[in-house]
Amino acid sequence: MIPGGGQPNMQQLLQQAQKMQQDLAQAQEELAQTPVEGQAGGGLVKATVTGSGELRSLVIDPKAVDPADTETLADLVVAAVQAANENAQQLQQQKLGPLAQGLGGMPGLGF
């Protein structure tokens, strides 16, 4: 409801929605291009993902490779990828959170 009981200005609401859509698309593009790193084993295994969660690289220090213990290496790889994805999620919240909060400020849309 609009203060004073008036109807929302539909043109203004449309412009706000379009701007938010453009801002969201720009933020998503930035996330897709932003590298985020996670590591495990004190840096023996490093994973790089994009801010949108796409795995881009995996670096394994030769000291982490023990042919007799590939299970530990696999655990380190999983942990590094998980850490990178957690960091990517935090970046997403930083970039997209304010945009999502903006939806609540659109009078007349019931958000």
Side-chain angles (χ1 to χ4, degrees), residues 3-42:
Q7 292 296 319
N9 180 329
M10 295 307 289
Q11 183 66 24
Q12 184 180 7
L13 288 175
L14 180 59
Q15 288 173 349
Q16 287 176 339
Q18 287 173 337
K19 174 150 180 24
M20 287 182 5
Q21 185 178 20
Q22 289 170 347
D23 291 347
L24 181 60
Q26 180 180 355
Q28 289 173 329
E29 179 61 30
E30 288 175 18
L31 284 171
Q33 301 301 320
T34 303
V36 181
E37 186 176 281
Q39 55 182 312

Side-chain angles (χ1 to χ4, degrees), residues 50-91:
T50 64
S52 59
E54 180 184 342
L55 181 63
R56 288 289 175 99
S57 71
L58 186 63
V59 177
I60 301 172
D61 188 301
K63 291 182 258 182
V65 181
D66 179 358
D69 186 14
T70 58
E71 187 174 317
T72 297
L73 177 58
D75 289 344
L76 290 174
V77 169
V78 169
V81 172
Q82 286 176 334
N85 280 324
E86 288 171 9
N87 292 337
Q89 288 176 349
Q90 290 176 357
L91 181 62

